[in-house]
Amino acid sequence: MKKLLYKWKSWWRSLPKFNYFVIKLWVSIFFVGFAFRLIYSQSTVFSQYPSVKYTRISPPHVDYFTPQQITVETPPQEGKCNLFIGDWIPNQGGPLYTDETCSFIPDHQNCMKNGRPDTGYLYWRWNPHGCELPRLNPEKFLELMRNRSWAFIGDSISRNHVQSLLCILSTVEKAVEVDHDEGYKSRRWLFPLHNVSVAGIWSPFIAEAAIFDDIVTGASTSEIDLHLDKLDTNWTKLFKSLDYVIFSFGKWFIRSSIYYEKSTVLGCHYCPKRNFTELGIDFAYQKVLRNLFDYIVTSNHKGTIFYRTSAPDHFENGEWDKGGNCRRTEPAREGELDLPWLNKIFREIELREFQKASTRASNGVNLKLLDVTPLSLLRPDGHPGPYRFFQPFSKDKNAKVINDCLHWCLPGPIDSWNDLLMEMVING
Ligand SMILES: *[C@@H]1O[C@H](CO)[C@@H](O)[C@H](O)[C@H]1NC(C)=O
Ligand SMILES: *[C@@H]1O[C@H](CO)[C@@H](O)[C@H](O)[C@H]1NC(C)=O
Ligand SMILES: *[C@@H]1O[C@H](CO)[C@@H](O)[C@H](O)[C@H]1NC(C)=O
Ligand SMILES: *[C@@H]1O[C@H](CO)[C@@H](O)[C@H](O)[C@H]1NC(C)=O
């Protein structure tokens, strides 16, 4: 197991308590109900959104968010490079699939079909310093994975990831859907000729959570009941039967929630109508992540478990609902963009908890870090932006459209997350 050292200034701890509270509040208000559903969920139609009133508190003074370098240092290993340190270089080959060859691209991520005019963002590949990262070879992958099962467990970015893999593999064999839950949030596909199973399992908190969203409007009707000490049985019941598991989650923790442990209320995150202590996103995220890693390292699981670090969004020129957009058409240079501050909070927790877990995972459990944060930060050009909907400017070229700078176009940069997975499976 690679030992990960990381340097990370504990920037937010040094904030006065009051300011940190303001940050928490701002985060939650920013994403309450309507706002959240619009960007983070894919199931409701745009026109169905009610206009929900909410107040906003300005983010704290920008001085608190001065650029911070992400430094993930891995001690050099004999004949090995760090796959996650590198740059994006031009790649004439382009993607392995298109909107016409892959039926797994959901409308909201189908940038080609939706009319995104530029295509330059498709012609880059991740180039780790000091080694070559081959493109995932779908034929080889399916052959290698004969009789094996994969599952991507998490939120809508996790779903975005599994769709990318399905598209890549479908260039060799058509996948057949074999299973799904009632709401089609969790689904499983089979590549019958190779007997390879690939699932996307919906579990946005990883922990057990009761979510009270109105099915029709998508508006939140009450705080989420989040049980920090209980993992979601929707995935734990399958865990033992899976050969390869990729966990990733995070963004849902910004929602208004009541935190429980042993079924007793500990406090909450943004619950102004209740008399509970504000505990903050970081409190809950750390508890759940630690709980997840405890579960993994004591599971005697015989397969391979990946923990994928959270992916940053790239809203620029304003907040998501204030004309914030992502108009770039090329990757950014190293150091050009800062990690969004929410991701900074996540990242410190993710790296710290992973490191702790990896020192404990010596009893045969194969736990790997798929550290996509730094390389994804360099791809502000990879999001749908306004092309979340079909031809958004066909009737009015000045139409006001909410941009999605969080999910990723397919094909797009996250196809390389799968190149990394394959490389880690073969040579990890
Ligand atoms: C497919 O793989 C599963 C294990 O994932 C195995 O139990 C099953 O027998 C295989 N089926 C065929 C037809 O090879
Ligand atoms: C896959 O499973 C089938 C049926 O159980 C078995 O005959 C075959 O040898 C297995 N192949 C591999 C590569 O494990
Ligand atoms: C588990 O799955 C069921 C059925 O899809 C769903 O209603 C429930 O919300 C899920 N649990 C969590 C914690 O997401
Ligand atoms: C809120 O909780 C505190 C401490 O538990 C208590 O002293 C106070 O009376 C409560 N306030 C209300 C309005 O219930």
Side-chain angles (χ1 to χ4, degrees):
M1 181 68 42
K2 275 184 202 170
K3 263 239 162 80
L4 270 173
L5 301 174
Y6 58 95
K7 278 188 204 146
W8 185 260
K9 208 161 109 197
S10 199
W11 61 278
W12 89 85
R13 267 187 225 300
S14 59
L15 300 185
K17 267 274 176 273
F18 171 74
N19 276 308
Y20 185 33
F21 181 70
V22 171
I23 300 173
K24 287 172 184 167
L25 213 57
W26 179 70
V27 171
S28 37
I29 292 168
F30 183 76
F31 286 106
V32 164
F34 157 77
F36 189 85
R37 284 297 284 244
L38 190 60
I39 297 291
Y40 293 91
S41 160
Q42 322 238 322
S43 54
T44 325
V45 181
F46 182 66
S47 59
Q48 289 177 336
Y49 287 107
S51 53
V52 172
K53 266 177 87 171
Y54 59 96
T55 26
R56 185 197 310 281
I57 295 171
S58 292
H61 195 272
V62 286
D63 283 357
Y64 290 124
F65 301 102
T66 46
Q68 301 273 335
Q69 286 291 335
I70 318 163
T71 321
V72 183
E73 288 177 5
T74 308
Q77 285 177 304
E78 208 65 38
K80 280 202 170 182
C81 71
N82 185 330
L83 287 171
F84 308 111
I85 297 177
D87 53 4
W88 290 91
I89 59 172
N91 172 40
Q92 287 188 344
L96 293 176
Y97 62 95
T98 69
D99 60 324
E100 272 156 21
T101 62
C102 184
S103 58
F104 296 102
I105 309 175
D107 290 345
H108 291 323
Q109 272 82 55
N110 203 332
C111 301
M112 287 177 165
K113 192 174 127 208
N114 291 345
R116 177 169 170 168
D118 61 306
T119 54
Y121 69 100
L122 299 170
Y123 296 89
W124 299 88
R125 67 180 178 85
W126 178 243
N127 176 43
H129 291 162
C131 61
E132 193 67 20
L133 175 66
R135 301 301 298 271
L136 189 154
N137 179 329
E139 218 150 318
K140 208 168 143 191
F141 184 93
L142 285 172
E143 205 46 64
L144 190 67
M145 290 300 150
R146 194 172 283 279
N147 295 355
R148 299 286 186 270
S149 56
W150 282 69
F152 293 71
I153 303 173
D155 57 20
S156 59
I157 310 289
S158 174
R159 190 187 290 163
N160 213 176
H161 188 183
V162 74
Q163 284 154 347
S164 161
L165 182 63
L166 289 170
C167 282
I168 293 169
L169 300 181
S170 294
T171 58
V172 170
E173 189 192 343
K174 186 106 187 92
V176 182
E177 183 163 355
V178 286
D179 207 359
H180 61 79
D181 69 356
E182 216 176 308
Y184 286 85
K185 281 180 174 278
S186 298
R187 302 167 81 161
R188 190 167 71 86
W189 293 268
L190 185 70
F191 293 87
L193 297 177
H194 294 86
N195 193 24
V196 175
S197 161
V198 177
I201 297 166
W202 178 253
S203 185
F205 287 102
I206 295 295
E208 190 183 309
I211 302 167
F212 306 97
D213 289 347
D214 189 293
I215 294 166
V216 179
T217 65
S220 168
T221 56
S222 178
E223 294 93 346
I224 289 161
D225 287 332
L226 183 57
H227 294 268
L228 302 178
D229 57 338
K230 293 181 188 146
L231 295 168
D232 182 1
T233 53
N234 285 7
W235 67 262
T236 56
K237 67 186 177 200
L238 301 169
F239 186 64
K240 279 265 154 68
S241 70
L242 299 165
D243 297 303
Y244 293 86
V245 188
I246 297 104
F247 288 101
S248 59
F249 60 111
K251 283 293 198 296
W252 280 65
F253 282 75
I254 56 195
R255 296 195 61 180
S256 207
S257 305
I258 295 172
Y259 297 152
Y260 294 82
E261 218 167 56
K262 298 199 172 79
S263 301
T264 319
V265 175
L266 286 186
C268 76
H269 168 58
Y270 190 62
C271 56
K273 291 192 209 109
R274 316 230 186 196
N275 192 14
F276 297 144
T277 314
E278 167 68 44
L279 292 171
I281 296 167
D282 55 321
F283 176 86
Y285 195 56
Q286 169 164 335
K287 285 238 176 209
V288 173
L289 205 50
R290 190 169 290 180
N291 201 7
L292 170 66
F293 285 142
D294 277 349
Y295 180 85
I296 292 170
V297 300
T298 57
S299 66
N300 287 319
H301 195 276
K302 298 286 176 273
T304 302
I305 299 150
F306 296 91
Y307 172 67
R308 179 176 69 65
T309 56
S310 50
D313 57 69
H314 291 93
F315 287 97
E316 294 190 272
N317 309 311
E319 290 159 17
W320 71 273
D321 62 337
K322 293 275 190 260
N325 54 35
C326 36
R327 294 210 179 111
R328 295 179 189 235
T329 54
E330 284 185 1
R333 288 182 310 278
E334 181 82 55
E336 191 180 345
L337 299 177
D338 295 337
L339 203 57
W341 55 275
L342 181 62
N343 287 88
K344 286 182 183 172
I345 294 176
F346 286 158
R347 187 159 183 77
E348 168 148 347
I349 297 168
E350 289 170 1
L351 295 183
R352 190 176 55 223
E353 293 304 320
F354 179 83
Q355 189 178 27
K356 273 190 202 154
S358 67
T359 58
R360 293 179 52 208
S362 44
N363 56 338
V365 174
N366 194 2
L367 173 64
K368 294 171 189 287
L369 187 70
L370 178 59
D371 188 16
V372 302
T373 310
L375 63 106
S376 305
L377 179 63
L378 299 178
R379 295 307 306 270
D381 56 333
H383 302 284
Y387 299 99
R388 187 172 183 268
F389 297 102
F390 186 65
Q391 306 284 354
F393 304 113
S394 59
K395 291 206 179 75
D396 172 6
K397 69 179 176 39
N398 298 316
K400 282 230 177 340
V401 184
I402 299 272
N403 286 255
D404 181 355
C405 303
L406 171 70
H407 297 99
W408 302 87
C409 292
L410 294 180
I414 66 169
D415 293 330
S416 60
W417 295 359
N418 291 315
D419 300 339
L420 289 161
L421 272 182
M422 170 109 183
E423 183 61 22
M424 290 168 82
V425 165
I426 293 178
N427 295 321

mmCIF file of all heavy atoms in Angstrom, residues 56-69:
data_model
loop_
_atom_site.group_PDB
_atom_site.id
_atom_site.type_symbol
_atom_site.label_atom_id
_atom_site.label_comp_id
_atom_site.label_asym_id
_atom_site.label_seq_id
_atom_site.Cartn_x
_atom_site.Cartn_y
_atom_site.Cartn_z
ATOM 1 N N ARG A 56 -29.697 34.435 1.246
ATOM 2 C CA ARG A 56 -28.306 34.070 1.073
ATOM 3 C C ARG A 56 -27.442 34.962 1.955
ATOM 4 O O ARG A 56 -27.665 36.145 2.074
ATOM 5 C CB ARG A 56 -27.899 34.271 -0.379
ATOM 6 C CG ARG A 56 -26.501 33.803 -0.679
ATOM 7 C CD ARG A 56 -26.022 34.388 -1.970
ATOM 8 N NE ARG A 56 -26.992 34.186 -3.023
ATOM 9 C CZ ARG A 56 -27.140 33.048 -3.682
ATOM 10 N NH1 ARG A 56 -26.401 32.029 -3.391
ATOM 11 N NH2 ARG A 56 -28.028 32.943 -4.626
ATOM 12 N N ILE A 57 -26.488 34.355 2.556
ATOM 13 C CA ILE A 57 -25.521 35.137 3.308
ATOM 14 C C ILE A 57 -24.247 35.134 2.484
ATOM 15 O O ILE A 57 -23.835 34.111 1.977
ATOM 16 C CB ILE A 57 -25.280 34.500 4.691
ATOM 17 C CG1 ILE A 57 -26.571 34.589 5.494
ATOM 18 C CG2 ILE A 57 -24.130 35.168 5.410
ATOM 19 C CD1 ILE A 57 -26.525 33.824 6.781
ATOM 20 N N SER A 58 -23.681 36.274 2.310
ATOM 21 C CA SER A 58 -22.482 36.362 1.482
ATOM 22 C C SER A 58 -21.375 35.491 2.049
ATOM 23 O O SER A 58 -21.263 35.322 3.245
ATOM 24 C CB SER A 58 -21.984 37.798 1.446
ATOM 25 O OG SER A 58 -22.900 38.575 0.742
ATOM 26 N N PRO A 59 -20.562 34.965 1.166
ATOM 27 C CA PRO A 59 -19.445 34.190 1.673
ATOM 28 C C PRO A 59 -18.518 35.107 2.449
ATOM 29 O O PRO A 59 -18.500 36.311 2.218
ATOM 30 C CB PRO A 59 -18.761 33.682 0.404
ATOM 31 C CG PRO A 59 -19.214 34.577 -0.680
ATOM 32 C CD PRO A 59 -20.557 35.073 -0.280
ATOM 33 N N PRO A 60 -17.770 34.547 3.368
ATOM 34 C CA PRO A 60 -16.875 35.379 4.150
ATOM 35 C C PRO A 60 -15.833 36.031 3.249
ATOM 36 O O PRO A 60 -15.707 35.682 2.081
ATOM 37 C CB PRO A 60 -16.240 34.412 5.122
ATOM 38 C CG PRO A 60 -16.603 33.066 4.658
ATOM 39 C CD PRO A 60 -17.713 33.155 3.701
ATOM 40 N N HIS A 61 -15.126 36.924 3.819
ATOM 41 C CA HIS A 61 -14.157 37.699 3.055
ATOM 42 C C HIS A 61 -13.207 36.801 2.275
ATOM 43 O O HIS A 61 -12.765 35.774 2.747
ATOM 44 C CB HIS A 61 -13.365 38.577 4.028
ATOM 45 C CG HIS A 61 -12.620 39.647 3.329
ATOM 46 N ND1 HIS A 61 -11.359 39.445 2.851
ATOM 47 C CD2 HIS A 61 -12.968 40.910 2.985
ATOM 48 C CE1 HIS A 61 -10.947 40.551 2.254
ATOM 49 N NE2 HIS A 61 -11.915 41.462 2.335
ATOM 50 N N VAL A 62 -12.927 37.213 1.051
ATOM 51 C CA VAL A 62 -12.139 36.364 0.155
ATOM 52 C C VAL A 62 -10.738 36.047 0.668
ATOM 53 O O VAL A 62 -10.133 35.079 0.234
ATOM 54 C CB VAL A 62 -12.010 36.962 -1.266
ATOM 55 C CG1 VAL A 62 -13.318 36.807 -2.002
ATOM 56 C CG2 VAL A 62 -11.580 38.406 -1.210
ATOM 57 N N ASP A 63 -10.233 36.859 1.589
ATOM 58 C CA ASP A 63 -8.902 36.576 2.130
ATOM 59 C C ASP A 63 -8.785 35.166 2.690
ATOM 60 O O ASP A 63 -7.720 34.574 2.702
ATOM 61 C CB ASP A 63 -8.568 37.552 3.271
ATOM 62 C CG ASP A 63 -8.175 38.909 2.722
ATOM 63 O OD1 ASP A 63 -8.123 39.036 1.485
ATOM 64 O OD2 ASP A 63 -7.943 39.825 3.518
ATOM 65 N N TYR A 64 -9.889 34.680 3.155
ATOM 66 C CA TYR A 64 -9.840 33.340 3.734
ATOM 67 C C TYR A 64 -9.652 32.271 2.669
ATOM 68 O O TYR A 64 -9.430 31.123 2.960
ATOM 69 C CB TYR A 64 -11.121 33.043 4.513
ATOM 70 C CG TYR A 64 -11.225 33.842 5.773
ATOM 71 C CD1 TYR A 64 -12.316 34.651 6.013
ATOM 72 C CD2 TYR A 64 -10.209 33.792 6.724
ATOM 73 C CE1 TYR A 64 -12.412 35.386 7.175
ATOM 74 C CE2 TYR A 64 -10.294 34.529 7.885
ATOM 75 C CZ TYR A 64 -11.403 35.322 8.118
ATOM 76 O OH TYR A 64 -11.498 36.046 9.249
ATOM 77 N N PHE A 65 -9.827 32.656 1.431
ATOM 78 C CA PHE A 65 -9.786 31.643 0.380
ATOM 79 C C PHE A 65 -8.620 31.869 -0.569
ATOM 80 O O PHE A 65 -8.725 31.695 -1.756
ATOM 81 C CB PHE A 65 -11.110 31.623 -0.376
ATOM 82 C CG PHE A 65 -12.241 31.340 0.545
ATOM 83 C CD1 PHE A 65 -13.061 32.350 0.984
ATOM 84 C CD2 PHE A 65 -12.437 30.056 1.026
ATOM 85 C CE1 PHE A 65 -14.083 32.075 1.873
ATOM 86 C CE2 PHE A 65 -13.449 29.791 1.917
ATOM 87 C CZ PHE A 65 -14.284 30.811 2.348
ATOM 88 N N THR A 66 -7.526 32.298 -0.018
ATOM 89 C CA THR A 66 -6.334 32.491 -0.837
ATOM 90 C C THR A 66 -5.874 31.155 -1.402
ATOM 91 O O THR A 66 -6.099 30.109 -0.803
ATOM 92 C CB THR A 66 -5.199 33.120 -0.010
ATOM 93 O OG1 THR A 66 -5.127 32.422 1.214
ATOM 94 C CG2 THR A 66 -5.466 34.586 0.242
ATOM 95 N N PRO A 67 -5.243 31.208 -2.563
ATOM 96 C CA PRO A 67 -4.875 29.968 -3.241
ATOM 97 C C PRO A 67 -4.085 29.013 -2.348
ATOM 98 O O PRO A 67 -3.212 29.423 -1.604
ATOM 99 C CB PRO A 67 -3.998 30.441 -4.404
ATOM 100 C CG PRO A 67 -4.374 31.851 -4.621
ATOM 101 C CD PRO A 67 -4.823 32.394 -3.312
ATOM 102 N N GLN A 68 -4.432 27.792 -2.426
ATOM 103 C CA GLN A 68 -3.718 26.751 -1.692
ATOM 104 C C GLN A 68 -3.330 25.691 -2.703
ATOM 105 O O GLN A 68 -4.132 25.296 -3.521
ATOM 106 C CB GLN A 68 -4.627 26.106 -0.646
ATOM 107 C CG GLN A 68 -5.191 27.054 0.374
ATOM 108 C CD GLN A 68 -4.259 27.248 1.555
ATOM 109 O OE1 GLN A 68 -3.445 26.385 1.843
ATOM 110 N NE2 GLN A 68 -4.372 28.379 2.198
ATOM 111 N N GLN A 69 -2.119 25.277 -2.639
ATOM 112 C CA GLN A 69 -1.704 24.198 -3.534
ATOM 113 C C GLN A 69 -2.114 22.868 -2.922
ATOM 114 O O GLN A 69 -1.994 22.670 -1.727
ATOM 115 C CB GLN A 69 -0.176 24.206 -3.690
ATOM 116 C CG GLN A 69 0.323 25.331 -4.566
ATOM 117 C CD GLN A 69 -0.051 25.137 -6.019
ATOM 118 O OE1 GLN A 69 -0.257 24.008 -6.457
ATOM 119 N NE2 GLN A 69 -0.172 26.210 -6.759
#
